[in-house]
């Protein structure tokens, strides 16, 4: 299996690594759900640290995801995973949150993340031949999370040299013994500069079958459901299935051949503390 640098679809989780953020959040007590679970796309691990404790752990997963670009089917990728969460700091995957304020179910953070899977190489597919590579970027901006019982909302708005992106997601959990089922929906906004960089075609890259395309801002919509099985107080196995519908700013690109893409992910997490 060749490792690909393509941008991974949202999978209703804004990426495969954040998908795992809720896995160990169910482990505060064996068979008992926590009262402070964060929304899945948040880098918060579900332990907000208000009791002064910190938590960390490791995990591994595998993700199968569709890509919107022409010439691509489903791609399967391993997902190594590490996290740390305390009262003021959360780290998960390639994202870091500095928590500026917490209270009444709200968490306000300053978020930094590196988009490891964004972009492509000109050699990744025929449609990219003759094009310059598109690379990942360092993103930063505010994040706000809110939870009440089993319902949670997560939103952020991030900036980088590649453009701007924002997201909002909603989740409602239902507990059945050691199991937790959580439907979720979300929306992801990308401004014109972002879409132009990753999905646009520059004049020097245009051909008879790949016309010039100037990106335009767009919104992707996602929906899915996750299932978490709490093995004990420290271990969980989680699965997630979702689908992304890409906005017209992306689907109008001559590089893109799909309007929707499915995704499936399963992972194991062990929490050391």
């Amino acid at each position: 299996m060749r490792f690909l640098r393509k941008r991974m679809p949202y999978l209703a989780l804004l990426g495969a690594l954040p998908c795992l953020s809720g896995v160990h959040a169910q482990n505060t007590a064996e068979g008992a759900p926590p009262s402070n679970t964060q929304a899945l796309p948040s880098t918060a691990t579900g332990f907000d640290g208000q009791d002064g404790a910190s938590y960390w752990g490791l995990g591994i997963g595998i993700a199968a995801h569709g890509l919107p670009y022409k010439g691509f089917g489903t791609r399967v990728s391993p997902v190594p995973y590490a996290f740390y969460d305390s009262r003021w700091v959360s780290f998960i995957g390639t994202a870091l949150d500095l928590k500026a304020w917490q209270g009444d179910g709200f968490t306000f953070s300053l978020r930094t993340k590196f988009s490891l899977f964004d972009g492509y190489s000109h050699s990744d597919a025929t449609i990219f031949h003759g094009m310059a590579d598109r690379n990942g970027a360092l993103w930063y901006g505010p994040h706000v999370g809110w939870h009440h019982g089993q319902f949670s909302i997560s939103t952020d708005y991030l900036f980088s040299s590649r453009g701007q992106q924002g997201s909002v997601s909603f989740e409602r959990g239902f507990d059945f013994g050691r199991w937790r089922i959580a439907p979720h929906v979300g929306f992801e906004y990308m401004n014109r500069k972002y879409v132009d960089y990753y999905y646009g075609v520059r004049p020097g890259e245009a051909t008879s079958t790949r016309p010039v395309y100037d990106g335009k801002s767009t919104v992707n919509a996602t929906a899915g459901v996750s299932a978490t099985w709490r093995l004990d107080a420290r271990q969980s196995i989680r699965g997630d299935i979702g689908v992304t519908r890409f906005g017209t700013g992306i689907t109008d690109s001559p590089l893109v051949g799909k309007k929707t893409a499915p995704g499936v992910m399963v992972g194991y997490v062990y929490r050391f503390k």
Side-chain angles (χ1 to χ4, degrees):
M1 178 182 64
R2 185 165 60 105
F3 178 75
L4 299 173
R5 297 192 302 119
K6 316 294 178 301
R7 173 177 169 78
M8 299 173 70
Y10 187 84
L11 300 187
L13 298 167
L14 298 179
L17 288 175
C19 166
L20 283 169
S21 63
V23 176
H24 63 282
Q26 312 307 319
N27 293 331
T28 52
E30 184 174 349
S35 60
N36 60 342
T37 303
Q38 297 290 332
L40 293 179
S42 169
T43 59
T45 62
F47 298 98
D48 62 14
Q50 292 181 5
D51 60 357
S54 60
Y55 305 87
W56 68 281
L58 299 171
I60 187 67
I62 188 168
H65 52 277
L67 295 165
Y69 297 112
K70 292 179 179 177
F72 283 96
T74 300
R75 290 293 184 263
V76 179
S77 304
V79 184
Y81 171 80
F83 69 86
Y84 172 80
D85 190 72
S86 68
R87 180 175 179 84
W88 300 113
V89 177
S90 289
F91 169 80
I92 182 171
T94 60
L96 173 70
D97 276 9
L98 302 178
K99 302 176 187 178
W101 182 83
Q102 299 176 82
D104 298 324
F106 286 92
T107 300
F108 176 81
S109 305
L110 300 178
R111 172 166 291 179
T112 302
K113 71 175 183 179
F114 182 70
S115 54
L116 181 64
F117 294 102
D118 281 15
Y120 53 80
S121 171
H122 68 276
S123 61
D124 285 337
T126 302
I127 191 65
F128 302 132
H129 289 178
M131 298 186 65
D133 294 350
R134 305 302 200 262
N135 300 310
L138 183 67
W139 296 86
Y140 56 89
H143 164 263
V144 178
W146 177 79
H147 66 270
H148 179 73
Q150 296 280 23
F151 181 74
S152 59
I153 301 174
S154 178
T155 183
D156 61 22
Y157 197 88
L158 306 178
F159 303 83
S160 84
S161 60
R162 310 300 188 207
Q164 302 173 24
Q165 60 175 310
S167 67
V168 59
S169 60
F170 308 86
E171 178 187 285
R172 174 65 166 90
F174 300 90
D175 286 285
F176 305 94
R178 292 179 178 267
W179 286 87
R180 183 175 190 265
I181 308 298
H184 48 78
V185 297
F187 302 91
E188 183 182 21
Y189 165 79
M190 290 147 283
N191 76 341
R192 182 201 62 79
K193 184 177 180 180
Y194 180 106
V195 177
D196 189 54
Y197 182 77
Y198 288 109
Y199 299 97
V201 178
R202 301 164 184 169
E205 300 171 330
T207 67
S208 59
T209 58
R210 188 178 61 207
V212 171
Y213 180 71
D214 295 321
K216 55 186 177 182
S217 61
T218 195
V219 176
N220 294 343
T222 65
V225 61
S226 66
T228 302
W229 179 28
R230 297 181 288 269
L231 301 175
D232 56 33
R234 296 187 181 275
Q235 301 179 86
S236 289
I237 295 176
R238 179 191 179 93
D240 191 280
I241 184 169
V243 63
T244 299
R245 181 173 180 83
F246 300 102
T248 56
I250 292 175
T251 58
D252 287 347
S253 169
L255 305 177
V256 172
K258 305 182 185 72
K259 292 185 177 181
T260 61
V264 179
M265 196 275 181
V266 62
Y268 165 84
V269 169
Y270 184 88
R271 180 173 63 90
F272 292 93
K273 179 181 178 182

